[in-house]
Amino acid sequence: MAAVGAFLMSGAGMALTTGISAVGTLAAGAAQKRQYEQQAAQADLRGRSEALAYKQQGVAALRNLNETLAAIVSRAGSGGVDPGSGSALTLQRFGLAEGAREKIISEENQTLALGQASMQAGIYRSAGRTAQLNSYVSAAGTIGSGAYRYGQVS
């Protein structure tokens, strides 16, 4: 055990431990960057999933609009009223306006979901780059400290 201690206190031992520490710091930085990249990919996926849900809401709004217009025309026709004039037409226009409004809102929500996800993913990617850069700086500091200690021993 004393031989190990003596080796670690020697110049070669200090260089070895400094190198191992620097490599470990770089590996930790790379792992942290990969973790942030995974979070960015999840944020992108979550955004696409939310956008798809909003798109489905828009489709449902159009389907509901179609059913509403069909019901108005059918009831007007069965009641002997011209479906293209009067209150039947007013109801159709109101239904069309509401359906269009719901569809536009769903499209805007789609865009917002994708934009927010893209922004969040960008934040994660930036954090990953920063973590890796910090590991480079830290590893350089470790090597500098090791060189200083080596100079003190020699």
Side-chain angles (χ1 to χ4, degrees), residues 59-141:
V59 169
L62 292 178
R63 185 178 301 116
N64 187 32
L65 170 62
N66 192 33
E67 291 172 2
T68 300
L69 292 177
I72 292 169
V73 169
S74 173
R75 287 185 188 138
S78 69
V81 176
D82 177 18
S85 65
S87 60
L89 181 60
T90 302
L91 286 174
Q92 289 177 49
R93 287 182 180 159
F94 175 77
L96 187 59
E98 286 299 305
R101 185 182 62 79
E102 287 182 31
K103 174 66 173 147
I104 289 169
I105 289 172
S106 74
E107 289 173 352
E108 289 174 352
N109 286 340
Q110 272 181 278
T111 303
L112 289 173
L114 290 173
Q116 188 272 339
S118 177
M119 186 181 305
Q120 186 63 48
I123 290 169
Y124 284 134
R125 287 187 181 98
S126 177
R129 286 189 300 271
T130 301
Q132 191 166 39
L133 181 61
N134 285 342
S135 74
Y136 294 153
V137 172
S138 182

Side-chain angles (χ1 to χ4, degrees), residues 20-60:
I20 290 171
S21 178
V23 168
T25 300
L26 292 174
Q32 203 169 10
K33 182 180 180 188
R34 283 191 304 274
Q35 177 186 1
Y36 280 119
E37 286 293 331
Q38 288 296 323
Q39 287 178 316
Q42 287 176 347
D44 281 333
L45 183 61
R46 191 176 318 113
R48 287 194 305 268
S49 175
E50 288 176 11
L52 182 59
Y54 286 123
K55 185 175 185 174
Q56 289 172 338
Q57 284 180 356
V59 169

